[in-house]
């Protein structure tokens, strides 16, 4: 697999290149937006990892130019944890996924492979697991034509699980990603939120079989099963 990374922070770039390289992913690295745009237009990649905060042209401007130029390669945005507006704007502009810093390279690798597998040449704003669909822009879950609203935290938690299918995510990882700061490790806030999400899924007509899609991994955390 051949990936283009556009990232100006050398430590983060080295971390990604080393981590993905160890998994036999060929990474081309550009340090600024202009170079990244040039590479994306001249070469063929399976996916592009694009940081939003770049010197000169920012990532959203580059993404807009990609899509206007007909570059349909899947794009994963790298964002700061609190850049919600940028993430939503990026999805609306044609980004296929995003990952908030800091992150685990194993998760990035899993997302790249999942994205490349499902890519059909159009942006993916709806995540699917079985009959469950998550609208990443309108923040709703849908199952067999029925919808339910999610709170901001419930949405972030379910989205995080669905974007890392079949991967066990620890409670610590979920706390860090969704709540954004360290909680008491003994807190049950993740478990309570999972219970609420399961209840909302079960309330959808014919969705009772989906409750088990979020699997509890004893002593560790949770996993979103695709089976």
């Amino acid at each position: 697999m051949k990936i283009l990374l556009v990232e100006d922070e050398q430590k983060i770039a080295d971390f990604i290149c080393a981590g993905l390289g160890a998994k036999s992913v060929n990474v081309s690295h550009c340090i600024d937006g202009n170079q990244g745009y040039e590479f994306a237009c001249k070469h063929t990649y399976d996916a592009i990892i694009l940081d939003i905060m770049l010197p000169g042209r920012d990532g959203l401007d580059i993404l807009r130019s990609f899509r206007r130029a007909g570059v349909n390669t899947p794009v994963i945005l790298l964002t700061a944890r609190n850049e919600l507006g940028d993430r939503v704007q990026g999805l609306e502009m044609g980004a296929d996924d995003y990952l908030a810093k800091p992150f685990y390279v194993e998760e990035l690798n899993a997302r790249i492979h999942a994205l490349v597998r499902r890519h059909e040449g159009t942006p993916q704003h709806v995540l699917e697991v079985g009959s469950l669909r998550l609208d990443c822009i309108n923040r709703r879950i849908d199952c067999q034509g029925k919808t339910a609203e999610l709170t901001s935290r419930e949405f972030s938690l379910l989205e995080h699980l669905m974007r890392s299918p079949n991967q066990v995510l620890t409670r610590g990882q979920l706390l860090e990603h969704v709540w954004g700061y360290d909680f008491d490790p003994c807190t049950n806030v993740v478990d309570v939120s999972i219970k609420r999400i399961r209840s909302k899924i079960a309330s959808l007509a014919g969705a009772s079989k989906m409750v088990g899609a979020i699997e509890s991994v004893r002593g560790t955390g949770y996993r979103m099963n695709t089976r």
Side-chain angles (χ1 to χ4, degrees):
M1 187 177 296
K2 190 175 181 181
I3 303 297
L4 174 63
L5 170 65
V6 188
E7 169 60 69
D8 64 309
E9 295 187 44
Q10 193 62 48
K11 289 184 178 180
I12 294 177
D14 290 344
F15 164 73
I16 293 174
C17 290
L20 295 181
K23 299 180 182 299
S24 300
V25 177
N26 184 359
V27 183
S28 298
H29 174 219
C30 296
I31 62 173
D32 62 64
N34 291 329
Q35 185 185 38
Y37 179 74
E38 181 181 353
F39 271 52
C41 292
K42 289 185 176 180
H43 307 284
T44 300
Y45 298 97
D46 295 295
I48 298 171
I49 304 170
L50 179 63
D51 187 28
I52 286 183
M53 299 298 293
L54 291 168
R57 298 177 66 184
D58 64 42
L60 294 181
D61 182 51
I62 298 164
L63 173 62
R64 185 186 297 108
S65 296
F66 281 163
R67 296 316 187 211
R68 286 178 176 173
V71 178
N72 292 319
T73 307
V75 172
I76 298 178
L77 293 177
L78 298 184
T79 76
R81 181 179 290 123
N82 296 323
E83 291 176 339
L84 176 60
D86 285 343
R87 295 199 296 267
V88 173
Q89 187 179 3
L91 290 171
E92 291 174 339
M93 285 182 177
D96 299 86
D97 198 355
Y98 71 84
L99 193 58
K101 300 175 184 178
F103 53 85
Y104 295 86
V105 72
E106 292 82 5
E107 180 182 358
L108 176 60
N109 182 61
R111 290 190 183 215
I112 290 171
H113 281 80
L115 184 60
V116 170
R117 284 197 302 268
R118 73 173 187 258
H119 183 65
E120 298 176 348
T122 57
Q124 300 289 326
H125 302 317
V126 176
L127 302 178
E128 296 187 21
V129 173
S131 57
L132 183 67
R133 294 164 52 90
L134 181 67
D135 187 325
C136 296
I137 294 178
N138 296 312
R139 299 191 166 200
R140 291 194 296 260
I141 52 174
D142 175 283
C143 188
Q144 299 183 3
K146 297 295 182 67
T147 63
E149 300 292 334
L150 297 170
T151 68
S152 178
R153 293 284 169 78
E154 289 168 353
F155 168 80
S156 295
L157 183 56
L158 181 58
E159 181 195 26
H160 194 44
L161 288 165
M162 291 180 70
R163 288 188 185 277
S164 304
N166 299 318
Q167 179 180 347
V168 178
L169 299 176
T170 68
R171 287 177 177 82
Q173 288 174 299
L174 295 171
L175 280 170
E176 182 179 356
H177 179 84
V178 177
W179 279 264
Y181 52 90
D182 292 333
F183 267 61
D184 180 343
C186 296
T187 183
N188 67 345
V189 66
V190 173
D191 306 284
V192 171
S193 296
I194 290 290
K195 183 177 180 180
R196 290 175 179 168
I197 292 171
R198 283 172 167 166
S199 178
K200 290 184 178 182
I201 294 174
S203 71
L204 302 177
S208 58
K209 64 181 180 180
M210 291 298 304
V211 176
I214 303 178
E215 177 188 357
S216 300
V217 181
R218 187 173 181 180
T220 303
Y222 294 93
R223 170 172 53 210
M224 175 63 77
N225 286 325
T226 59
R227 298 179 295 276

